[in-house]
């Protein structure tokens, strides 16, 4: 996630709790009313904070607060895949991860809070690009570690490039999510995950013997 600003680093435990409460409240407000329609007054009322408190923790105003909410939403993308994402050492674990991903996006539906926030912030702004890039890098790294664990135990083809395989898995997820957000249908995400994992399993050493 983006590095802490000096104001974050100086916070007392009570201050950190207040800042976190504002971020969580702002996230709830944005989920309910959208990023563009949510004003600082709406967020202040929901979080029972004063305007001076909002600007104390977020001197840059709404844009800085939206970026903090986006960072929290990015963390939730990965947290919602746990403990499976950190334990991809068997095909059962990969299936559990697949189920967790489908469940998350089925529950989310066509509205992606992180996507809405990034659109509001501007996807090409440096801060938004850093945030998105770090999320993708962390997600891909976790998948890469899982691929290597499977290669080490002989359950995936050792000749695969683990990083490119992780990138392909992540692209499969994001492609399916993009279609879900456009159509409301989760079937493409399900097909992308099942086909990709099925191909990886079929090319593993001894896969043909196991199928027989």
């Amino acid at each position: 996630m983006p590095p802490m600003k000096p104001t974050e680093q100086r916070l007392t435990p009570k201050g950190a709790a207040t800042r976190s409460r504002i971020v969580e409240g702002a996230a709830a407000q944005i989920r309910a009313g959208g990023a563009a329609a949510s004003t600082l007054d709406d967020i202040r009322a929901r979080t029972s904070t004063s305007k001076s408190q909002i600007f104390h923790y977020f001197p840059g105003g709404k844009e800085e607060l939206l970026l903090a909410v986006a960072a929290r939403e990015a963390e939730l993308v990965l947290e919602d895949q746990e403990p499976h994402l950190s334990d991809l050492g068997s095909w059962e674990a990969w299936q559990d991860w697949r189920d967790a991903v489908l469940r998350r996006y089925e529950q989310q539906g066509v509205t992606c809070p992180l996507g809405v926030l990034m659109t509001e912030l501007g996807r090409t702004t440096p801060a938004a690009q850093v945030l998105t890039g770090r999320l993708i890098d962390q997600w891909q790294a976790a998948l890469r570690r899982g691929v290597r664990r499977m290669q080490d135990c002989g359950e995936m083809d050792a000749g695969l490039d683990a990083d490119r395989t992780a990138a392909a898995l992540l692209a499969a997820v994001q492609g399916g999510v993009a279609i879900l957000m456009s159509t409301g249908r989760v079937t493409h995400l399900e097909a992308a995950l099942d086909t990709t994992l099925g191909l990886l399993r079929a090319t593993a050493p001894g896969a043909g013997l196991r199928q027989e």
Side-chain angles (χ1 to χ4, degrees):
M1 298 300 104
M4 289 192 299
K5 295 178 180 294
T7 51
E8 293 178 56
Q9 296 171 351
R10 294 195 300 268
L11 292 180
T12 64
K14 182 179 179 180
T18 300
R19 185 183 187 280
S20 178
R21 180 167 57 81
I22 293 171
V23 171
E24 295 292 346
Q29 178 64 39
I30 288 164
R31 291 190 198 101
S38 297
T39 66
L40 287 180
D41 284 339
D42 293 329
I43 294 167
R44 183 184 57 76
R46 182 180 281 266
T47 58
S48 300
T49 50
S50 65
K51 186 168 289 187
S52 62
Q53 281 181 301
I54 296 284
F55 281 96
H56 172 72
Y57 293 106
F58 305 96
K62 185 179 179 182
E63 182 175 341
E64 185 175 338
L65 177 54
L66 288 181
L67 190 61
V69 174
R72 179 57 186 147
E73 290 292 342
E75 290 174 353
L76 289 174
V77 170
L78 299 180
E79 288 178 10
D80 287 349
Q81 298 174 55
E82 294 296 354
H84 318 294
L85 187 61
S86 297
D87 189 35
L88 298 174
S90 68
W91 285 117
E92 181 180 3
W94 280 91
Q95 184 67 28
D96 290 341
W97 169 75
R98 172 261 190 208
D99 293 345
V101 170
L102 279 177
R103 184 165 55 249
R104 180 189 202 279
Y105 286 106
E106 280 181 317
Q107 292 172 352
Q108 173 184 287
V110 298
T111 303
C112 174
L114 180 59
V116 170
L117 284 160
M118 298 308 285
T119 298
E120 176 74 8
L121 290 164
R123 293 179 185 273
T124 59
T125 62
Q129 285 185 331
V130 167
L131 178 61
T132 304
R134 290 190 179 183
L135 169 61
I136 295 300
D137 289 346
Q138 289 179 341
W139 198 346
Q140 186 169 330
L143 293 171
R144 181 173 63 245
R145 288 191 293 271
V147 171
R148 286 176 176 161
R149 288 181 66 183
M150 295 295 280
Q151 289 175 317
D152 289 343
C153 66
E155 290 293 331
M156 276 191 193
D157 184 355
L160 291 172
D161 183 314
D163 192 55
R164 285 178 63 83
T165 301
L169 283 162
L170 184 49
V173 172
Q174 289 302 300
V177 170
I179 295 175
L180 166 63
M181 291 175 63
S182 299
T183 67
R185 297 196 297 266
V186 77
T187 50
H188 293 82
L189 174 58
E190 184 176 14
L193 282 168
D194 289 345
T195 300
T196 306
L197 292 177
L199 288 171
L200 287 173
R201 192 164 189 168
T203 56
L209 294 176
R210 286 195 295 270
Q211 291 173 357
E212 293 173 6

